[in-house]
Amino acid sequence: IMLLAVVPVSAQLPSEVPSGDNDPVKGLYQKYENNPKVSSIYISAEMIRLVSMLGDMAGDNVSGTVSVTDGGSFGIEDIDVAQVFSILGKLKGLYLLSTEDAPTAEAMEKDLGGVGRYKELMRVKDSGDDLRFYYISPDGEHVEEFLMKANTDGGEFTVIQFQADSLTFQDIARFAAEMSKE
């Protein structure tokens, strides 16, 4: 979440995005990244390393508020920034696609297809909204890929995928705990 706050939503891809061979999300990204009805973000491993280095320089703890573009604020009191950035430093890439156009959402979900190679982690259904979380673990201890699909009652569709290097389930739990702090 903090990583996405650092990157502008209108971020453009570097000249070369990794191939979508055998990866349904990358293939989906390549197909829809230039569609004007779809918001797309790709964050490379290099950008993640850069942000992680900035986190290392920030010190152990930061209190305060980070301003957001709409004039509001996002509080980060008591978040252990070093902990968060050490976890983010294990990511190898992040893809995000989102649309509010119902026909495009339907096409994207169809193009994504099944998530057969992923194991389901959690489902959340609420008032017509459907969120599903999946992962790939080569050894049951480390998370190699994480996938979130979200369908809303209003016809919106969002898919987020990150790839990781030596990320553990404990890292994910620590990250969630830090992000849930006031």
Side-chain angles (χ1 to χ4, degrees), residues 65-143:
T65 303
V66 175
S67 296
V68 293
T69 57
D70 66 359
S73 63
F74 174 75
I76 58 167
E77 291 182 21
D78 300 325
I79 291 177
D80 184 341
V81 173
Q83 173 98 331
V84 169
F85 281 103
S86 73
I87 294 167
L88 291 177
K90 295 180 180 184
L91 299 183
K92 296 191 310 185
L94 182 137
Y95 291 88
L96 182 142
L97 288 165
S98 184
T99 186
E100 295 178 0
D101 181 66
T104 304
E106 187 177 315
M108 286 173 61
E109 186 164 20
K110 182 180 177 187
D111 288 342
L112 180 61
V115 289
R117 65 189 198 117
Y118 291 89
K119 293 180 182 175
E120 188 170 40
L121 194 58
M122 181 172 69
R123 288 184 198 183
V124 178
K125 291 188 178 193
D126 182 35
S127 300
D129 297 343
D130 184 6
L131 280 83
R132 296 180 185 229
F133 300 88
Y134 303 91
Y135 72 100
I136 293 176
S137 175
D139 60 7
E141 290 183 32
H142 296 90
V143 177

Side-chain angles (χ1 to χ4, degrees), residues 51 53 108 144 174:
V51 171
M53 286 189 299
M108 286 173 61
E144 190 173 88
R174 280 194 296 272

